[in-house]
Amino acid sequence: MTHTSGPITPTVTTAGDPLPTQPGGAPYDVTVIGAGVVGTAIARELARYPLRTALVEASDDIGDGTSKANTAILHTGFDAVPGSLEARLVREGRHRLSAYAARTGIPVERVGAVLVAWDAEQLAALPALLAKAEANGYHAARLLNAHEVAEREPHLGPGALGGLEVPDESVICPWTTPLAFATEAVRAGVHLHLDCPVLDIETGDAVHTLTTGRGPLRTRFLVNAAGLHADEIDRLLGHDAFTVTPRRGQLIVFDKLARDLVRHILLPVPTAAGKGVLVAPTVFGNVLLGPTAEELDDKTATESTQEGIDRLRERGRRILPRLLDEEVTAVYAGLRAATGQEDYRIQEYPDQRYVAVGGIRSTGLTASMAIADHVTTLLVRTGLDPGEPAEPAPLTMPGLGETGRRPYLDADLIGRDPAYGTLVCHCERVTAGELRDALASTLPPRSVAGLARRTRAGNGRCQGFHCGAGLRALIERTRP
């Protein structure tokens, strides 16, 4: 087994310039490729050990790919394939992430879910879904008749025949989660290298040499958590185990005034035609409608389309008719890493000191911390001796949830620092103090979009029409 003793190098976050020379010329012990929610969770887990760890990301920010554009649901895993790796990791991950969110201030709302059956085929499928939930160790689900469904969701469209209630499904902040993971990792000594795409990999007897867009990087062990590009990284190591086919999911974000229309996450009953479209509240007070499921060839096709939006509106009119009368705040699209297999593609290669983490689909946010623990176990199987773990220093993230006590409502905080009473983004009630804190944080934003994910600024009704220029000026003044 390989274990590096001695002092861990100081905290480093780099971007843009050539990669710094590795201290003493020594390679990293472990390098994680990809700083989405899974990659950052793995980096955080590795940061608990006395290892030299690097996290490399092709983008200019963490969580900038699939992780920023999902449905933000903290799943119970009730409908996973029983006995699958995904089922186990989602089940374990939900408990881990729920506890972590409570400790760090990541917004979570336990709103519950109702799968609504609109026709006889869907109604007949509900008992099997209940049995699947119980096979997955989730025993709180229960069947509902049409009257019970209507009681729980009075604004539901006409014609619902029954449902399945899953009371522990929750919504979570998809942006704060990877930011918390990465912040803990970097504070504990992980080197984060942004703007650092991996172009080639040369594997030697003891060291991998990564050719990146910012120069060479040497590492003993390698974890591939590259999301949509995980298959490409896997092939650089000589494997052809899976192919990622991007699956685009378009979504519509409705204004906060629509929030009272829905009490639960309204899930479709999956059939042979797919899982379909959901309606869900968000921790920011909005309502989501989506996603579509479009198989594409282009891993950059994150644009919304008129056809996709029209399809969503048609489905939304059936589910929650009054929702279509509400104002639309935004539309967005994300790409999921589909591989044609209904399970995660996580595999260790001991002879290469390499772990591939592929096919992590929409449940990856929920499972992220359990995936990180599983990957660490696989690294040990490949020969890594991580040493003794230590708990990271406590971390508290900015509270972005609508139901929490936001700074603009905190009279004591404003009394100590008036910047928290100075609104800059009026739509989302974001203050000058919050923007200042984000720009001075461990992982400051390098773009207006990154600032929005840290503070919500610019994400409201006017989509930055009033505050956008000021936000751009802030980024330009503070960018290195």
Side-chain angles (χ1 to χ4, degrees), residues 175-244:
W175 306 323
T176 311
T177 305
L179 183 61
F181 293 158
T183 299
E184 276 197 14
V186 168
R187 288 183 179 180
V190 171
H191 290 192
L192 172 62
H193 301 302
L194 300 169
D195 294 322
C196 195
V198 175
L199 308 175
D200 199 6
I201 301 173
E202 180 182 341
T203 298
D205 291 339
V207 173
H208 301 283
T209 300
L210 279 57
T211 300
T212 80
R214 294 176 51 207
L217 182 150
R218 300 169 66 242
T219 186
R220 291 190 174 91
F221 292 82
L222 188 61
V223 177
N224 169 14
L228 290 169
H229 301 282
D231 57 341
E232 300 163 34
I233 298 297
D234 203 46
R235 290 189 180 98
L236 293 178
L237 275 296
H239 304 289
D240 192 18
F242 60 92
T243 296
V244 172

Side-chain angles (χ1 to χ4, degrees), residues 38 40 46 51 56 124 128 133 150 201 215 250 258 266 275 289 300 322 339 403 468 476 480:
V38 172
T40 54
L46 293 171
L51 298 166
V56 299
I201 301 173
Q250 300 185 52
L266 300 180
K275 287 193 173 182
L289 171 64
T300 66
R322 287 181 54 186
T339 63
T403 61
E476 291 300 323

Side-chain angles (χ1 to χ4, degrees), residues 106-443:
I106 296 171
V108 174
E109 288 185 48
R110 181 179 171 270
V111 293
V114 176
L115 285 80
V116 181
W118 297 97
D119 57 38
E121 179 188 4
Q122 293 176 8
L123 187 66
L126 293 180
L129 284 170
L130 177 61
K132 180 183 279 190
E134 292 173 346
N136 281 317
Y138 184 76
H139 301 286
R142 64 179 296 261
L143 296 172
L144 305 175
N145 60 36
H147 177 69
E148 290 171 317
V149 170
E151 279 188 328
R152 282 160 176 75
E153 289 293 340
H155 298 292
L156 203 65
L161 302 179
L164 179 68
E165 183 179 40
V166 188
D168 295 299
E169 293 281 298
S170 304
V171 291
I172 187 171
C173 178
W175 306 323
T176 311
T177 305
L179 183 61
F181 293 158
T183 299
E184 276 197 14
V186 168
R187 288 183 179 180
V190 171
H191 290 192
L192 172 62
H193 301 302
L194 300 169
D195 294 322
C196 195
V198 175
L199 308 175
D200 199 6
I201 301 173
E202 180 182 341
T203 298
D205 291 339
V207 173
H208 301 283
T209 300
L210 279 57
T211 300
T212 80
R214 294 176 51 207
L217 182 150
R218 300 169 66 242
T219 186
R220 291 190 174 91
F221 292 82
L222 188 61
V223 177
N224 169 14
L228 290 169
H229 301 282
D231 57 341
E232 300 163 34
I233 298 297
D234 203 46
R235 290 189 180 98
L236 293 178
L237 275 296
H239 304 289
D240 192 18
F242 60 92
T243 296
V244 172
T245 301
R247 182 177 294 158
R248 181 167 62 193
Q250 300 185 52
L251 295 106
I252 303 175
V253 183
F254 287 90
D255 187 80
K256 292 174 177 41
L257 294 175
R259 179 62 184 84
D260 289 340
L261 294 178
V262 60
R263 298 176 180 177
H264 304 76
I265 302 165
L266 300 180
L267 295 172
V269 177
T271 65
K275 287 193 173 182
V277 172
L278 61 81
V279 175
T282 76
V283 295
F284 313 118
N286 301 93
V287 176
L288 291 181
L289 171 64
T292 59
E294 308 159 51
E295 302 285 346
L296 305 174
D297 296 323
D298 185 356
K299 294 182 179 181
T300 66
T302 57
E303 67 273 6
S304 299
T305 67
Q306 187 65 55
E307 179 185 4
I309 299 305
D310 288 345
R311 191 181 313 137
L312 291 179
R313 291 181 64 86
E314 179 183 353
R315 290 295 301 126
R317 187 171 288 108
R318 170 75 182 276
I319 301 166
L320 209 66
R322 287 181 54 186
L323 183 62
L324 276 297
D325 296 329
E326 299 295 331
E327 294 291 332
V328 171
T329 296
V331 297
Y332 68 92
L335 299 176
R336 288 160 281 177
T339 63
Q341 175 177 300
E342 292 297 310
D343 203 357
Y344 296 159
R345 300 293 190 99
I346 303 177
Q347 178 66 50
E348 79 274 25
Y349 296 91
D351 58 327
Q352 290 184 305
R353 308 171 312 282
Y354 164 60
V355 178
V357 186
I360 310 301
R361 300 168 301 140
S362 57
T363 55
L365 171 60
T366 301
S368 55
M369 297 186 79
I371 291 172
D373 182 70
H374 181 61
V375 167
T376 302
T377 299
L378 296 184
L379 282 170
V380 172
R381 288 188 196 172
T382 69
L384 176 70
D385 179 2
E388 292 299 317
E391 289 306 310
L395 174 71
T396 301
M397 299 301 293
L400 302 188
E402 192 73 0
T403 61
R405 189 165 180 80
R406 302 276 305 285
Y408 79 95
L409 293 172
D410 192 329
D412 291 337
L413 179 63
I414 294 168
R416 295 192 301 271
D417 187 344
Y420 292 110
T422 304
L423 289 178
V424 176
C425 172
H426 288 259
C427 294
E428 293 296 289
R429 305 294 195 268
V430 182
T431 66
E434 292 169 276
L435 297 173
R436 177 199 61 205
D437 293 348
L439 293 166
S441 65
T442 302
L443 297 176

